[in-house]
Amino acid sequence: MTMEGEHEHPYALINVIGGIDGVYEDHVEFLEKHLKLVTMKEFIENKQVLSHKIKAIFMWIHKPVVDRELLQSLPNLKVIANSGVGVDHLDLKLISSFGVKVANTPFAISKSTADLGIALMLASARRIVEGHQIAVSPDTKHFMGDWLGEEITSATLGIIGMGSVGYKVAQRAKAFEMKILYHNRNRRNEVDEQDVGAVYCQKMEDLLQQSDFVILVVTLTPQTYKLIGKKELELMKSTATIINISRGQVVDQDSLVNALKNGVIKAAALDVTYPEPLPRDHALLHLKNVIISPHIGSATSQTRCLMMKNMVESILAGVNGLPVPNEVHV
Protein backbone atom coordinates (compact mmCIF):
# COMPACT_ATOMS: atom_id res chain seq x y z
CA MET A 1 0.00 0.00 0.00
CA THR A 2 1.37 3.44 -0.91
CA MET A 3 1.81 6.20 1.67
CA GLU A 4 -0.76 8.20 -0.28
CA GLY A 5 -3.24 5.31 0.02
CA GLU A 6 -2.70 5.16 3.77
CA HIS A 7 -3.72 8.78 4.18
CA GLU A 8 -6.87 8.28 2.15
CA HIS A 9 -8.21 5.56 4.41
CA PRO A 10 -9.76 6.35 7.80
CA TYR A 11 -7.83 5.02 10.79
CA ALA A 12 -9.69 2.22 12.56
CA LEU A 13 -8.71 0.72 15.89
CA ILE A 14 -8.80 -3.09 16.10
CA ASN A 15 -7.83 -5.46 18.87
CA VAL A 16 -5.27 -7.62 17.09
CA ILE A 17 -4.90 -9.61 13.87
CA GLY A 18 -5.32 -13.38 14.23
CA GLY A 19 -5.45 -15.45 17.39
CA ILE A 20 -8.41 -16.26 19.62
CA ASP A 21 -10.08 -12.85 19.58
CA GLY A 22 -8.44 -11.09 16.67
CA VAL A 23 -9.61 -9.95 13.26
CA TYR A 24 -9.42 -12.90 10.86
CA GLU A 25 -6.24 -12.94 8.81
CA ASP A 26 -8.14 -13.67 5.60
CA HIS A 27 -10.26 -10.53 6.15
CA VAL A 28 -7.25 -8.21 6.36
CA GLU A 29 -6.76 -7.77 2.61
CA PHE A 30 -10.33 -6.48 2.19
CA LEU A 31 -10.14 -4.34 5.33
CA GLU A 32 -6.92 -2.67 4.23
CA LYS A 33 -8.50 -1.63 0.93
CA HIS A 34 -10.83 0.62 2.94
CA LEU A 35 -9.29 1.24 6.36
CA LYS A 36 -5.93 1.95 7.94
CA LEU A 37 -5.85 -0.68 10.69
CA VAL A 38 -4.29 0.17 14.04
CA THR A 39 -3.93 -2.61 16.63
CA MET A 40 -4.37 -1.89 20.35
CA LYS A 41 -0.64 -2.60 20.83
CA GLU A 42 0.31 -0.04 18.17
CA PHE A 43 -2.12 2.47 19.65
CA ILE A 44 -0.77 2.11 23.21
CA GLU A 45 2.83 2.42 21.97
CA ASN A 46 2.09 5.52 19.81
CA LYS A 47 -0.82 7.15 21.65
CA GLN A 48 0.34 10.73 21.09
CA VAL A 49 0.49 10.32 17.33
CA LEU A 50 -2.48 8.01 16.81
CA SER A 51 -5.13 9.20 19.28
CA HIS A 52 -6.22 12.12 17.06
CA LYS A 53 -6.11 10.06 13.86
CA ILE A 54 -8.43 7.20 14.87
CA LYS A 55 -11.99 7.81 13.68
CA ALA A 56 -13.47 4.33 14.06
CA ILE A 57 -13.34 1.19 16.18
CA PHE A 58 -13.75 -2.12 14.40
CA MET A 59 -15.06 -4.28 17.26
CA TRP A 60 -14.65 -7.93 16.31
CA ILE A 61 -16.09 -10.51 18.72
CA HIS A 62 -16.41 -7.92 21.55
CA LYS A 63 -12.82 -6.65 21.28
CA PRO A 64 -11.30 -4.12 21.87
CA VAL A 65 -13.11 -3.27 25.10
CA VAL A 66 -14.61 0.21 24.91
CA ASP A 67 -14.62 2.08 28.24
CA ARG A 68 -14.53 5.73 29.32
CA GLU A 69 -10.73 5.80 29.32
CA LEU A 70 -10.53 4.64 25.70
CA LEU A 71 -13.28 7.04 24.57
CA GLN A 72 -11.51 9.95 26.27
CA SER A 73 -8.28 9.08 24.46
CA LEU A 74 -9.95 9.16 21.00
CA PRO A 75 -11.19 12.76 20.48
CA ASN A 76 -12.03 12.28 16.78
CA LEU A 77 -13.82 8.94 17.12
CA LYS A 78 -17.00 8.94 15.02
CA VAL A 79 -18.29 5.36 14.90
CA ILE A 80 -17.96 1.94 16.52
CA ALA A 81 -18.86 -1.00 14.28
CA ASN A 82 -19.81 -4.08 16.28
CA SER A 83 -19.83 -7.60 14.86
CA GLY A 84 -23.11 -9.42 15.43
CA VAL A 85 -26.42 -8.14 16.77
CA GLY A 86 -26.03 -8.06 20.55
CA VAL A 87 -24.67 -4.83 22.01
CA ASP A 88 -25.20 -5.74 25.68
CA HIS A 89 -21.40 -5.53 26.15
CA LEU A 90 -21.45 -1.84 25.16
CA ASP A 91 -22.45 1.12 27.34
CA LEU A 92 -24.53 2.84 24.66
CA LYS A 93 -25.35 5.88 26.82
CA LEU A 94 -21.70 6.47 27.63
CA ILE A 95 -20.66 6.09 23.97
CA SER A 96 -23.46 8.40 22.82
CA SER A 97 -22.37 11.04 25.35
CA PHE A 98 -19.07 11.25 23.41
CA GLY A 99 -21.03 11.87 20.18
CA VAL A 100 -20.05 8.47 18.81
CA LYS A 101 -22.41 6.29 16.77
CA VAL A 102 -22.70 2.51 17.10
CA ALA A 103 -23.61 0.08 14.31
CA ASN A 104 -24.20 -3.67 14.41
CA THR A 105 -24.82 -6.37 11.77
CA PRO A 106 -28.33 -7.76 12.35
CA PHE A 107 -29.16 -8.87 8.83
CA ALA A 108 -25.81 -10.51 8.14
CA ILE A 109 -26.31 -13.06 10.91
CA SER A 110 -29.99 -13.90 10.54
CA LYS A 111 -29.74 -16.88 8.16
CA SER A 112 -26.83 -18.67 9.81
CA THR A 113 -28.21 -18.17 13.32
CA ALA A 114 -31.66 -19.43 12.26
CA ASP A 115 -29.97 -22.45 10.65
CA LEU A 116 -28.22 -23.21 13.93
CA GLY A 117 -31.48 -22.90 15.87
CA ILE A 118 -33.08 -25.52 13.63
CA ALA A 119 -29.94 -27.68 13.83
CA LEU A 120 -30.04 -27.63 17.63
CA MET A 121 -33.74 -28.44 17.65
CA LEU A 122 -33.20 -31.42 15.33
CA ALA A 123 -30.10 -32.60 17.18
CA SER A 124 -31.94 -32.50 20.50
CA ALA A 125 -35.17 -34.09 19.24
CA ARG A 126 -33.33 -36.93 17.49
CA ARG A 127 -30.66 -37.25 20.22
CA ILE A 128 -27.90 -36.95 17.64
CA VAL A 129 -25.02 -36.18 20.04
CA GLU A 130 -25.99 -39.09 22.32
CA GLY A 131 -26.46 -41.30 19.26
CA HIS A 132 -23.02 -40.42 17.92
CA GLN A 133 -21.45 -41.35 21.25
CA ILE A 134 -23.22 -44.73 21.16
CA ALA A 135 -22.21 -45.33 17.53
CA VAL A 136 -18.49 -44.66 18.14
CA SER A 137 -18.18 -46.14 21.64
CA PRO A 138 -15.77 -49.09 21.92
CA ASP A 139 -18.32 -50.70 24.29
CA THR A 140 -21.13 -50.78 21.70
CA LYS A 141 -21.90 -54.32 20.54
CA HIS A 142 -25.33 -53.68 19.01
CA PHE A 143 -27.78 -50.82 18.42
CA MET A 144 -30.90 -50.79 20.58
CA GLY A 145 -34.19 -51.04 18.69
CA ASP A 146 -36.05 -49.11 21.38
CA TRP A 147 -33.67 -46.11 21.40
CA LEU A 148 -36.03 -43.35 20.25
CA GLY A 149 -36.16 -39.62 19.68
CA GLU A 150 -39.03 -37.28 18.84
CA GLU A 151 -40.26 -35.86 15.54
CA ILE A 152 -40.29 -32.15 14.88
CA THR A 153 -42.59 -32.60 11.87
CA SER A 154 -46.09 -31.42 12.85
CA ALA A 155 -44.91 -30.47 16.35
CA THR A 156 -45.66 -27.02 17.81
CA LEU A 157 -42.78 -24.53 17.82
CA GLY A 158 -42.97 -21.43 20.02
CA ILE A 159 -40.67 -18.61 18.91
CA ILE A 160 -39.97 -15.95 21.55
CA GLY A 161 -38.62 -12.93 19.67
CA MET A 162 -39.76 -12.54 16.06
CA GLY A 163 -37.13 -10.17 14.69
CA SER A 164 -35.03 -10.93 11.62
CA VAL A 165 -33.58 -14.15 13.12
CA GLY A 166 -36.87 -15.32 14.63
CA TYR A 167 -38.63 -14.85 11.31
CA LYS A 168 -35.97 -16.90 9.49
CA VAL A 169 -36.49 -19.65 12.08
CA ALA A 170 -40.22 -19.57 11.28
CA GLN A 171 -39.54 -19.83 7.53
CA ARG A 172 -37.43 -22.93 8.10
CA ALA A 173 -39.88 -24.46 10.57
CA LYS A 174 -42.68 -24.08 8.03
CA ALA A 175 -40.84 -26.52 5.77
CA PHE A 176 -41.07 -29.08 8.60
CA GLU A 177 -44.85 -28.57 8.69
CA MET A 178 -44.59 -27.29 12.26
CA LYS A 179 -47.37 -25.37 13.93
CA ILE A 180 -45.76 -22.00 14.69
CA LEU A 181 -46.62 -19.74 17.62
CA TYR A 182 -44.73 -16.55 18.38
CA HIS A 183 -44.48 -13.93 21.09
CA ASN A 184 -42.92 -10.56 20.36
CA ARG A 185 -43.01 -7.03 21.80
CA ASN A 186 -44.80 -5.96 18.64
CA ARG A 187 -47.07 -8.13 16.55
CA ARG A 188 -45.85 -8.57 12.96
CA ASN A 189 -48.12 -7.64 10.07
CA GLU A 190 -50.69 -10.08 8.73
CA VAL A 191 -48.76 -10.79 5.51
CA ASP A 192 -45.65 -11.82 7.49
CA GLU A 193 -47.76 -14.09 9.70
CA GLN A 194 -49.54 -15.71 6.77
CA ASP A 195 -46.31 -16.29 4.82
CA VAL A 196 -44.97 -18.57 7.56
CA GLY A 197 -48.28 -19.64 9.09
CA ALA A 198 -47.42 -18.11 12.46
CA VAL A 199 -49.98 -17.41 15.19
CA TYR A 200 -49.34 -14.49 17.56
CA CYS A 201 -49.50 -15.08 21.31
CA GLN A 202 -49.91 -11.81 23.17
CA LYS A 203 -49.08 -13.61 26.42
CA MET A 204 -45.83 -15.56 26.53
CA GLU A 205 -47.50 -17.92 29.02
CA ASP A 206 -49.91 -19.17 26.33
CA LEU A 207 -47.00 -19.97 24.02
CA LEU A 208 -45.09 -21.81 26.75
CA GLN A 209 -48.07 -24.00 27.65
CA GLN A 210 -48.74 -25.10 24.07
CA SER A 211 -45.27 -25.56 22.56
CA ASP A 212 -43.32 -28.78 22.09
CA PHE A 213 -40.21 -26.74 21.32
CA VAL A 214 -39.52 -23.21 22.56
CA ILE A 215 -36.78 -21.21 20.87
CA LEU A 216 -35.41 -17.98 22.37
CA VAL A 217 -34.39 -15.34 19.83
CA VAL A 218 -34.50 -12.10 21.83
CA THR A 219 -31.83 -9.46 22.43
CA LEU A 220 -30.53 -9.18 25.99
CA THR A 221 -32.02 -6.15 27.74
CA PRO A 222 -33.06 -5.46 31.35
CA GLN A 223 -36.54 -6.65 30.27
CA THR A 224 -35.31 -9.99 28.88
CA TYR A 225 -32.76 -10.74 31.64
CA LYS A 226 -33.82 -14.13 33.12
CA LEU A 227 -36.98 -13.96 31.02
CA ILE A 228 -37.24 -17.72 31.43
CA GLY A 229 -37.13 -18.75 35.10
CA LYS A 230 -38.71 -21.33 37.41
CA LYS A 231 -42.27 -20.12 36.80
CA GLU A 232 -41.93 -20.09 33.00
CA LEU A 233 -40.28 -23.53 32.88
CA GLU A 234 -43.08 -24.98 35.00
CA LEU A 235 -45.61 -23.68 32.47
CA MET A 236 -43.97 -25.73 29.72
CA LYS A 237 -44.95 -29.30 28.84
CA SER A 238 -42.92 -32.00 30.57
CA THR A 239 -42.19 -33.31 27.04
CA ALA A 240 -40.95 -29.91 25.79
CA THR A 241 -37.47 -28.77 24.76
CA ILE A 242 -36.04 -25.27 25.14
CA ILE A 243 -33.53 -23.92 22.59
CA ASN A 244 -31.54 -20.75 23.28
CA ILE A 245 -29.73 -18.94 20.44
CA SER A 246 -29.90 -15.46 21.95
CA ARG A 247 -27.90 -14.79 25.15
CA GLY A 248 -27.27 -17.05 28.12
CA GLN A 249 -28.63 -14.53 30.63
CA VAL A 250 -32.10 -14.72 29.05
CA VAL A 251 -32.50 -17.99 30.99
CA ASP A 252 -32.12 -18.46 34.74
CA GLN A 253 -29.55 -21.28 34.54
CA ASP A 254 -30.08 -22.58 38.09
CA SER A 255 -33.80 -22.96 37.40
CA LEU A 256 -33.01 -24.63 34.07
CA VAL A 257 -30.72 -27.18 35.74
CA ASN A 258 -33.43 -28.03 38.28
CA ALA A 259 -36.09 -28.31 35.55
CA LEU A 260 -33.91 -30.67 33.49
CA LYS A 261 -32.93 -32.82 36.48
CA ASN A 262 -36.48 -33.13 37.77
CA GLY A 263 -38.34 -33.78 34.53
CA VAL A 264 -40.11 -30.39 34.51
CA ILE A 265 -39.06 -30.18 30.83
CA LYS A 266 -37.54 -32.86 28.64
CA ALA A 267 -34.40 -31.26 27.21
CA ALA A 268 -32.42 -28.12 26.37
CA ALA A 269 -30.22 -27.15 23.43
CA LEU A 270 -28.08 -24.09 24.09
CA ASP A 271 -25.74 -22.11 21.87
CA VAL A 272 -25.27 -19.60 24.68
CA THR A 273 -24.64 -19.81 28.43
CA TYR A 274 -23.24 -17.60 31.18
CA PRO A 275 -20.38 -17.47 31.54
CA GLU A 276 -18.91 -18.72 28.27
CA PRO A 277 -17.44 -21.27 28.48
CA LEU A 278 -19.11 -22.69 31.59
CA PRO A 279 -16.89 -23.86 34.48
CA ARG A 280 -15.94 -27.46 33.73
CA ASP A 281 -17.81 -28.73 36.78
CA HIS A 282 -21.09 -26.96 35.88
CA ALA A 283 -24.16 -29.18 36.13
CA LEU A 284 -25.32 -28.34 32.59
CA LEU A 285 -22.20 -30.01 31.18
CA HIS A 286 -23.07 -33.32 32.81
CA LEU A 287 -26.72 -33.82 31.91
CA LYS A 288 -27.61 -36.22 29.09
CA ASN A 289 -30.65 -34.16 28.07
CA VAL A 290 -28.60 -31.04 27.24
CA ILE A 291 -26.72 -30.10 24.06
CA ILE A 292 -24.37 -27.11 24.24
CA SER A 293 -22.56 -25.51 21.30
CA PRO A 294 -19.84 -22.85 21.74
CA HIS A 295 -21.80 -19.68 20.74
CA ILE A 296 -21.54 -20.37 17.00
CA GLY A 297 -24.80 -18.86 15.71
CA SER A 298 -23.02 -16.66 13.17
CA ALA A 299 -19.91 -18.82 12.85
CA THR A 300 -19.84 -19.64 9.16
CA SER A 301 -17.16 -18.33 6.83
CA GLN A 302 -19.80 -16.72 4.62
CA THR A 303 -21.63 -14.93 7.44
CA ARG A 304 -18.48 -13.70 9.16
CA CYS A 305 -17.26 -12.27 5.85
CA LEU A 306 -20.60 -10.50 5.32
CA MET A 307 -20.49 -9.15 8.89
CA MET A 308 -17.04 -7.72 8.26
CA LYS A 309 -18.16 -6.04 5.01
CA ASN A 310 -21.25 -4.59 6.73
CA MET A 311 -19.01 -3.16 9.45
CA VAL A 312 -16.72 -1.52 6.90
CA GLU A 313 -19.76 0.01 5.19
CA SER A 314 -20.96 1.44 8.52
CA ILE A 315 -17.52 2.84 9.35
CA LEU A 316 -17.12 4.55 5.97
CA ALA A 317 -20.57 6.11 6.29
CA GLY A 318 -19.89 7.23 9.87
CA VAL A 319 -16.56 8.90 9.20
CA ASN A 320 -17.96 10.67 6.12
CA GLY A 321 -20.96 12.08 7.98
CA LEU A 322 -23.48 9.94 6.09
CA PRO A 323 -26.40 7.98 7.62
CA VAL A 324 -24.91 4.89 9.27
CA PRO A 325 -26.41 1.59 8.06
CA ASN A 326 -27.67 -0.53 10.98
CA GLU A 327 -27.09 2.25 13.51
CA VAL A 328 -28.05 1.22 17.04
CA HIS A 329 -29.94 3.94 18.87
CA VAL A 330 -29.78 4.40 22.65
Side-chain angles (χ1 to χ4, degrees), residues 65-258:
V65 173
V66 174
D67 54 18
R68 184 178 292 275
E69 186 186 354
L70 182 62
L71 290 164
Q72 285 172 337
S73 66
L74 300 172
N76 294 316
L77 184 67
K78 299 270 193 274
V79 60
I80 297 170
N82 173 69
S83 61
V85 181
V87 289
D88 45 280
H89 56 289
L90 292 171
D91 187 337
L92 295 177
K93 284 185 179 172
L94 174 69
I95 293 164
S96 179
S97 73
F98 281 84
V100 176
K101 294 183 175 181
V102 172
N104 61 355
T105 63
F107 301 105
I109 66 104
S110 57
K111 292 176 184 174
S112 57
T113 306
D115 286 351
L116 186 77
I118 296 291
L120 285 171
M121 178 167 61
L122 275 166
S124 182
R126 298 304 298 270
R127 300 167 70 187
I128 286 174
V129 174
E130 223 182 315
H132 168 76
Q133 289 164 349
I134 291 167
V136 301
S137 169
D139 301 324
T140 298
K141 301 289 188 290
H142 61 271
F143 294 156
M144 296 168 288
D146 60 352
W147 192 88
L148 307 173
E150 303 296 334
E151 287 192 14
I152 68 167
T153 301
S154 301
T156 299
L157 172 64
I159 301 171
I160 299 177
M162 189 68 113
S164 56
V165 178
Y167 196 74
K168 294 283 182 196
V169 169
Q171 288 175 327
R172 285 149 178 72
K174 186 187 178 189
F176 286 100
E177 301 163 31
M178 298 188 85
K179 180 184 175 187
I180 301 166
L181 309 176
Y182 79 99
H183 172 74
N184 204 40
R185 278 175 308 177
N186 304 305
R187 184 171 182 170
R188 293 192 75 119
N189 65 57
E190 210 174 313
V191 174
D192 283 354
E193 289 182 350
Q194 286 174 353
D195 282 350
V196 293
V199 176
Y200 179 63
C201 293
Q202 190 169 359
K203 292 181 178 175
M204 187 174 73
E205 291 80 2
D206 293 341
L207 177 148
L208 293 171
Q209 287 172 331
Q210 295 177 64
S211 299
D212 299 303
F213 299 90
V214 173
I215 188 161
L216 303 170
V217 208
V218 294
T219 51
L220 179 62
T221 65
Q223 290 72 40
T224 61
Y225 178 74
K226 293 192 177 176
L227 180 70
I228 304 296
K230 182 176 185 287
K231 180 175 127 242
E232 290 73 25
L233 290 162
E234 286 174 353
L235 285 170
M236 292 172 64
K237 296 178 180 181
S238 60
T239 53
T241 297
I242 194 160
I243 300 124
N244 190 3
I245 55 171
S246 52
R247 284 288 186 269
Q249 294 93 326
V250 171
V251 177
D252 179 341
Q253 273 180 186
D254 292 339
S255 296
L256 179 62
V257 167
N258 289 332

Side-chain angles (χ1 to χ4, degrees), residues 268-286:
L270 314 169
D271 186 43
V272 286
T273 58
Y274 63 94
E276 289 174 352
L278 287 169
R280 297 297 87 186
D281 60 350
H282 196 282
L284 280 174
L285 302 181
H286 305 285

Side-chain angles (χ1 to χ4, degrees), residues 1-18:
M1 190 188 290
T2 64
M3 287 301 291
E4 184 185 348
E6 282 185 22
H7 291 303
E8 286 172 359
H9 299 327
Y11 280 63
L13 183 65
I14 63 170
N15 186 42
V16 68
I17 293 171

